[in-house]
Amino acid sequence: MGRVGATILLLFVVAAIFAPILAPHDPALRTAQPFAAPSFAHPLGANDVGQDILSELIFASRLSLTVGFVTACLATVLGAAVGIVGGYLRGAVDTVLMRGVDVILSLPFLPLMIVLAAFLGQNTTNLILVIGLLIWARPARLIRSQVLSVRESGHVQAARAMGATHGYIMVRHVLPRVTPLVAAQFVRTANVSIMLEASLAFLGLSDPFQKSWGAILFYANARSAFLTDAWLWWVLPPGLCIAAVVVSFAFLGYALEERVDPRLRSTLPTKEPLRDTRTPTPVREDALR
Amino acid sequence: MPRPSGAAWRRGGGRVAQYALVLLVAVSLNFAIPRLAPGTPIDYLVPSEQVATITPEQRERVLAQFGLEKPLLEQYRLYLTGILRGDLGISAQQGRPVVDMLLERLPWTLVLVGGAITLSTVIGGGAGFLSAARRGGRTEAWGLALFMFLDSMPPFWIGLLLLVFFSGYLDLLPVFGALPTSGAADGFGLTLEFAQRLVLPLATLTMVRAGWLFLVARSSLAGELSEDYILMAEAKGLSRRQVVLGHGIRNALLPLVTAVAVEVGTVVGGATVVETVFSYPGLGRLIYESVLSRDYAVLQGAFLLLAVGVILANLLADLLYPIIDPRVRAESAR
Amino acid sequence: MVRGALERSWRPVLVFVLGLLIVVVSSPTAGGAQQSQQVERLTIATEADKGNLTPYSFRPPPGIHSELVGLVYDTLFLHPYTEEPIPWLATEASANADATVWTVTLRDDVTWHDGEEFTAEDVAFTYDYYRDGPPNRYTHHASEVPVVESAEALDATTVEFTCEQPCPTLDLVTLADLPILPQHIWEDVEDPQTYTDLPVGTGPYRLAEYVEDQSYLFEANEDYFLGPPAVGEIEMPIVPDPSSMFLALQNGQVDTATRPVPPELQESLGEARDVELVEGKRFASIFYRFNAESPPLDQQEFRRALDMAVDRQALVDTVLLGNGRAGSPSFMHPDSRWFEPQDAAFDPEQAGAILDEAGITDSDGDGSREYEGEPVSLSIIVSANDPLQIRTAELVAQQLGEVGIELVPESLDPGTLSQRQNALDFELSSFQGVPHLIGDPTQMIESLESLLVYSNPEYEGLREEWFQSTSVEQQGETMREIQRLFVEDPPALTLYYPDTTYAYNSSAYDGWIPVEGHGIHHKWSFIPEAPELLGIETVAQRTAPPEEETGGRTILYALVVAGAVVLLVLGFFLLRRRSARGSDEDQI
């Protein structure tokens, strides 16, 4: 599964990088009749002003991928840090951090984005900044909740009893244990931010002069593509692209999960006790030493 | 389970106090944020052709109707005291008390959002647990792929496609609204009409939210099932089912409960797009319109409502933690 | 015996059939000018919530507001874009020699929705209220252009208006646009913007229910002074999403939509069962406002060059798919009676020459001109909600780029856009010309100052002339001269006039009439006498040629007669056979 995800993602990344070569036309130029149906020269037809949709699609991958990846990194790093520190140390630190998380989570996200889009102006950098600064709150909370459990588990208790420092425990014991969840959150965040960018673009709140899949759908909807045959070549492809990228992120995340924690491998038969076929993880070795 | 001691009650009170502080901060933010955006209700209330002709006195009068001519600090004070009184001000769009507007919209949103959360938790969470308990089967892989795919489709895209297919092509369901405009039917008939209009938005919202809950449930239970105590339980001779249901799921609930609590907070905002596509009269759409019209009072009120909801949900989740997972001792909750 | 009975039953049958023929033949001919059928309920989808429909419940575009207000309220004359004033609440109006004092006679058979009598006091009160109170879309008629110094009720049915300066178009424009408010309700209203009760007017419909952001429900006013309207109940659900709106029309959930049908949908929508399209003649335009204080826009030659560098026809062909007309410097809408026809000259070479002469040249050969050492770069702000405007801005930017002027489009959310427009914080701004702005000369004169901030010495002189004109002809002539001045010094860049095509379900209702400046969704589509008063045909009258109707009737007759004949013949033979058999049996 991971291979499938990685392959798809790689395809899109390659398409994004080599867009000028791959795209049959320059998407900023009007090379066809408006609303042209698919033809040999324009396999996905043309949009409402006559720009080639396939070329638009290819170039749009740049923005969507960038937004997704950057915000996911930002959010996951911040979120994991806050979640682990707060969940492990507990006490006042945890309280302050979690109340901060609560405050952020209590703000309705999309409306807040709308306000901020109005205030900051509609350009991509602001978009990334704003999404990234708000989206770490959810992963933080989830990771923290798992850290609460991990903290009480056997090997962590053992390490504490043996006098390991907090920092050591957090990095060598807690982090590996929560990595599956962190990986899942990375995937989730990338998905959410790509989706968020698409929704904002669809509502007309991101920069309409930049090509993104959401923006393509914005024009498609505004120019009635859902009601005519154009939905086939103007609406399906961008939506499928978004879905494909997001799914491939998800598959990749899933594969990462497996690699980090072999107990989650689905190739194992379920009936037999897992102990026999499991290979000891580094964490276990440390704990036994 | 130990009975809550006097200390526990005090701790509980401390927790409530913390949440009250969070609420205060959130409320203050809700006051500040709408005012960040440039523009005032005047730009919205008066046609552009006439704006230049307004005299300063008239401008003051218009703003005074909504208490906006006072200095910012004074407005803030009035806002806070107003909340305590239950008065959320007057809407600039509607000229009506904000409380009335919110109370009108709330039931629609609750039904849509509540229904979506419930369905997606049951379907997504249930499927997730099932998938974790039966790892290695082909159905599991397909189920995983299916949910992941559902999770990855943009809500407005699905919504519009569903709309075009069911309402347009098949002509099965009405295109917009929550109730028929003329109150012809009543009682059961009305409920049926409402149900018809609810189907598509509910389906859309459920589909897009279920995937994540599936993944959380799955990863959480999978992690739990590989813990030692599970092996112990199996070694003691408990059947797989008893182990999974009795022990595994109980402990894996924590992240799922958290996830659902978080869902409650974000789903109303996320439903905005779905509400717009289906012309459904919910809170999300009200917020969207109020942002565009700089209707501070409504924004403050709606944000406040959502903040209270989220905080309550989180409070509930926090209180449930010790019950679900006894290992999380209450004393370390400080 | 049997035979006798059968013979006797012949006659009633014959009589019956003959009677049927007579009835059919003598039934009144339905062909000709039948306005519309009486309809119990109509569903009209509208795109935006416009409040509780008092004159003060303005909301920004899109959506129709004044036509909905017009369902509930009436004006003194029919509407402000007619050739001659058509009496409505007023029966006649006459002015003094210099058109500063008008005497208007009102109808005496009008009542408010709550039963109170409509009198001249209401009219006098309304004009004072608009003049002295907070602004709305109509108040400029009493407070600016013209300034109605006083409105006095001389008796129950006579009002005397005194204008500060000659107001020759008072009956044609002013009195035809202002909705009359009931004094007994509004005299206690301090803040009109917070008036949230349902409106009370004299109009053909009562607003029975208003659910914010969801729907309106109008009920017919049976006591309307022109008789009960043709539709008993109108429900208007609010559907913001355009796709949903037209989908609902296609599958019959609504009977018509107030949103104009977009160019790309006209073909497929027109093919849907029972859906017809009609050009609504609503005044619409898109223009770019200048900020004439921001260099180099403060130079008249520069503005003129911009005007000449834009290929308006290309915009119409690409963005509107041909469904519209290229803009003209005249600013008024081409269908308005005040319009002075002149073509916008599209001449990029000439534009370049003008710029060269003005010293705005491309000195470093990089393709873009410089002004005072800086490359010329203008920004244009457009609404993020309006993809047509975004596309238009992109195209205009390309066109201006070819004469060396850089145009950078910026999209803003509607609230920010309004704020920046009102604060004059822009260089160019996209603007939607509402019907009133481009159809009503008084509004245009007012807007030239307040909205467009137009300053031109020749215009000042013409403006004075306009205000001193004492007759409609004089004002018309001055208006034409002003528009000719616009070629040299345009107040704004009018890009195009989009067509306003509307779709309706012809089997639900076909009494729609397109009224210039208003579209088809207004009260006159529901008032049986209106088409005649306005001299406009309903869509039903247009699409049904008379010959076809008579043809239909003839066929009907022929069928009935033929049928009757066949019956008679059949009956004859049957009876004969039976009696034959009967006689056989008898014989046996």
Side-chain angles (χ1 to χ4, degrees), chain B:
Chain B
M1 194 167 59
R3 229 169 286 142
S5 61
W9 279 114
R10 263 179 279 125
R11 270 175 253 128
R15 173 58 58 88
V16 171
Q18 280 174 22
Y19 275 112
L21 186 65
V22 169
L23 191 60
L24 183 64
V25 174
V27 155
S28 306
L29 276 179
N30 288 339
F31 174 82
I33 287 173
R35 288 169 170 73
L36 282 180
T40 68
I42 291 256
D43 302 308
Y44 177 81
L45 288 172
V46 181
S48 290
E49 302 92 69
Q50 265 75 42
V51 167
T53 63
I54 304 184
T55 64
E57 299 85 45
Q58 283 175 335
R59 184 177 286 265
E60 279 252 341
R61 265 181 70 181
V62 173
L63 289 177
Q65 287 168 16
F66 311 104
L68 294 172
E69 86 291 12
K70 306 192 177 69
L72 215 58
L73 222 58
E74 174 75 11
Q75 286 184 41
Y76 181 61
R77 191 187 67 80
L78 286 171
Y79 164 66
L80 286 178
T81 52
I83 291 178
L84 294 172
R85 269 201 322 264
D87 169 21
L88 294 173
I90 308 280
S91 155
Q93 286 175 86
Q94 292 275 324
R96 293 194 296 149
V98 172
V99 180
D100 294 346
M101 286 173 73
L102 293 179
L103 287 179
E104 260 176 32
R105 299 282 189 135
L106 194 59
W108 301 118
T109 296
L110 283 180
V111 173
L112 176 64
V113 156
I117 290 180
T118 312
L119 279 177
S120 57
T121 307
V122 166
I123 297 176
F129 283 149
L130 201 67
S131 156
R134 292 185 192 205
R135 302 200 60 142
R138 274 189 72 206
T139 42
E140 191 247 335
W142 279 112
L144 182 63
L146 173 71
F147 271 95
M148 281 174 147
F149 196 67
L150 276 182
D151 189 38
S152 60
M153 294 193 279
F156 56 87
W157 187 71
I158 295 191
L160 272 173
L161 284 177
L162 282 180
L163 190 65
V164 171
F165 188 65
F166 283 98
S167 293
Y169 192 62
L170 291 182
D171 208 352
L172 267 183
L173 296 165
V175 176
F176 57 81
L179 283 180
T181 327
S182 46
D186 55 283
F188 183 67
L190 198 65
T191 316
L192 198 65
E193 290 269 5
F194 174 52
Q196 266 189 318
R197 287 164 165 77
L198 188 61
V199 168
L200 288 181
L202 187 61
T204 308
L205 206 53
T206 305
M207 275 205 289
V208 302
R209 313 303 287 203
W212 181 52
L213 292 173
F214 171 88
L215 289 174
V216 168
R218 188 176 170 278
S219 88
S220 161
L221 185 61
E224 283 304 319
L225 287 181
S226 57
E227 281 285 318
D228 292 344
Y229 72 90
I230 296 287
L231 299 172
M232 269 296 284
E234 280 184 345
K236 277 200 281 186
L238 291 175
S239 75
R240 179 82 182 159
R241 162 173 289 209
Q242 280 176 306
V243 162
V244 167
L245 282 181
H247 296 262
I249 287 188
R250 189 123 185 255
N251 296 327
L253 272 181
L254 212 67
L256 188 63
V257 166
T258 316
V260 173
V262 166
E263 274 290 290
V264 168
T266 56
V267 73
V268 173
T272 304
V273 179
V274 172
E275 285 176 10
T276 310
V277 164
F278 292 100
S279 307
Y280 189 82
L283 276 179
R285 216 175 91 191
L286 177 66
I287 292 177
Y288 177 62
E289 301 277 333
S290 303
V291 169
L292 294 186
S293 61
R294 310 288 193 260
D295 194 344
Y296 302 137
V298 171
L299 283 177
Q300 284 160 195
F303 277 42
L304 179 66
L305 196 61
L306 293 178
V308 167
V310 166
I311 289 171
L312 279 179
N314 286 341
L315 185 62
L316 195 66
D318 262 0
L319 291 175
L320 285 177
Y321 279 178
I323 299 176
I324 295 175
D325 189 350
R327 296 183 301 169
V328 179
R329 283 185 300 245
E331 70 197 46
S332 38
R334 302 255 47 200

Side-chain angles (χ1 to χ4, degrees), chain C residues 89-409:
Chain C
L89 282 182
T91 53
E92 58 177 1
S94 60
N96 65 353
D98 65 351
T100 49
V101 179
W102 283 80
T103 316
V104 178
T105 318
L106 307 169
R107 296 184 75 113
D108 61 357
D109 57 350
V110 181
T111 50
W112 295 98
H113 293 153
D114 59 359
E116 294 286 324
E117 228 184 276
F118 163 78
T119 67
E121 292 287 341
D122 294 309
V123 178
F125 166 80
T126 302
Y127 279 80
D128 287 337
Y129 196 79
Y130 281 150
R131 187 193 56 228
D132 302 329
N136 66 27
R137 168 225 172 288
Y138 308 93
T139 52
H140 75 94
H141 284 295
S143 64
E144 301 282 326
V145 186
V147 176
V148 176
E149 250 172 22
S150 81
E152 212 187 300
L154 299 181
D155 61 43
T157 56
T158 321
V159 185
E160 190 181 84
F161 294 93
T162 312
C163 304
E164 216 173 59
Q165 306 210 308
C167 49
T169 53
L170 196 77
D171 58 346
L172 187 60
V173 176
T174 310
L175 300 182
D177 196 36
L178 266 174
I180 306 296
L181 301 170
Q183 181 183 27
H184 60 277
I185 292 182
W186 286 82
E187 60 191 351
D188 299 320
V189 177
E190 285 281 325
D191 291 322
Q193 251 114 14
T194 52
Y195 180 79
T196 54
D197 294 343
L198 293 179
V200 169
T202 56
Y205 286 93
R206 213 178 2 253
L207 183 59
E209 233 177 77
Y210 162 53
V211 183
E212 161 240 329
D213 212 27
Q214 282 195 60
S215 63
Y216 294 100
L217 183 65
F218 296 92
E219 273 170 14
N221 174 8
E222 302 294 332
D223 304 318
Y224 193 55
F225 62 87
L226 283 181
V231 176
E233 226 175 57
I234 301 176
E235 52 176 290
M236 285 192 148
I238 297 171
V239 188
D241 185 58
S243 298
S244 303
M245 187 185 262
F246 291 112
L247 197 61
L249 182 63
Q250 259 178 7
N251 70 1
Q253 196 183 354
V254 300
D255 302 319
T256 180
T258 62
R259 194 188 273 269
V261 180
E264 63 272 10
L265 213 51
Q266 286 188 16
E267 214 182 288
S268 55
L269 200 60
E271 283 165 18
R273 193 170 48 111
D274 286 337
V275 175
E276 302 286 335
L277 300 181
V278 64
E279 170 53 45
K281 297 201 292 191
R282 193 176 164 84
F283 299 155
S285 80
I286 299 294
F287 62 89
Y288 284 172
R289 280 172 69 178
F290 301 118
N291 179 359
E293 286 165 21
S294 159
L297 287 166
D298 53 354
Q299 314 256 336
Q300 184 180 332
E301 300 79 37
F302 184 75
R303 297 195 297 266
R304 178 139 185 262
L306 274 187
D307 201 54
M308 298 184 87
V310 176
D311 183 0
R312 292 157 167 89
Q313 192 56 48
L315 295 177
V316 171
D317 293 334
T318 310
V319 179
L320 297 181
L321 301 181
N323 296 8
R325 286 169 278 187
S328 144
S330 305
F331 197 76
M332 288 259 113
H333 192 271
D335 294 337
S336 155
R337 57 166 292 168
W338 307 96
F339 177 69
E340 166 72 355
Q342 13 190 29
D343 292 318
F346 169 53
D347 197 341
E349 268 158 36
Q350 175 73 335
I354 295 178
L355 287 172
D356 286 333
E357 261 180 60
I360 305 174
T361 54
D362 180 13
S363 42
D364 54 8
D366 64 349
S368 98
R369 296 173 184 267
E370 286 93 34
Y371 177 71
E372 293 182 347
E374 296 282 319
V376 176
S377 175
L378 300 171
S379 81
I380 168 140
I381 56 176
V382 298
S383 169
N385 273 1
D386 199 343
L388 284 183
Q389 289 330 300
I390 299 175
R391 295 304 205 194
T392 306
E394 280 180 328
L395 291 183
V396 173
Q398 271 175 14
Q399 290 171 359
L400 290 183
E402 285 172 23
V403 292
I405 299 175
E406 191 190 17
L407 186 70
V408 180

Side-chain angles (χ1 to χ4, degrees), chain C residues 461-530:
Chain C
L462 289 171
R463 188 175 178 277
E464 255 319 294
E465 244 183 77
W466 192 88
F467 272 107
Q468 300 301 333
S469 311
T470 55
S471 74
V472 178
E473 293 74 31
Q474 250 191 322
Q475 254 193 8
E477 190 42 50
T478 315
M479 183 53 65
R480 268 177 258 290
E481 267 194 62
I482 293 176
Q483 292 181 71
R484 285 193 278 271
L485 173 63
F486 288 164
V487 179
E488 292 296 319
D489 188 4
L493 268 181
T494 305
L495 294 182
Y496 48 69
Y497 311 104
D499 287 343
T500 51
T501 313
Y502 295 99
Y504 63 94
N505 185 323
S506 56
S507 64
Y509 186 68
D510 59 2
W512 306 103
I513 48 173
V515 173
E516 59 268 18
H518 295 280
I520 62 171
H521 304 102
H522 46 63
K523 64 177 173 223
W524 306 293
S525 286
F526 308 119
I527 297 174
E529 325 220 339

Side-chain angles (χ1 to χ4, degrees), chain C residues 47-62:
Chain C
E47 65 231 75
D49 185 348
K50 292 299 184 177
N52 62 340
L53 300 184
T54 70
Y56 290 90
S57 72
F58 163 79
R59 304 291 165 83

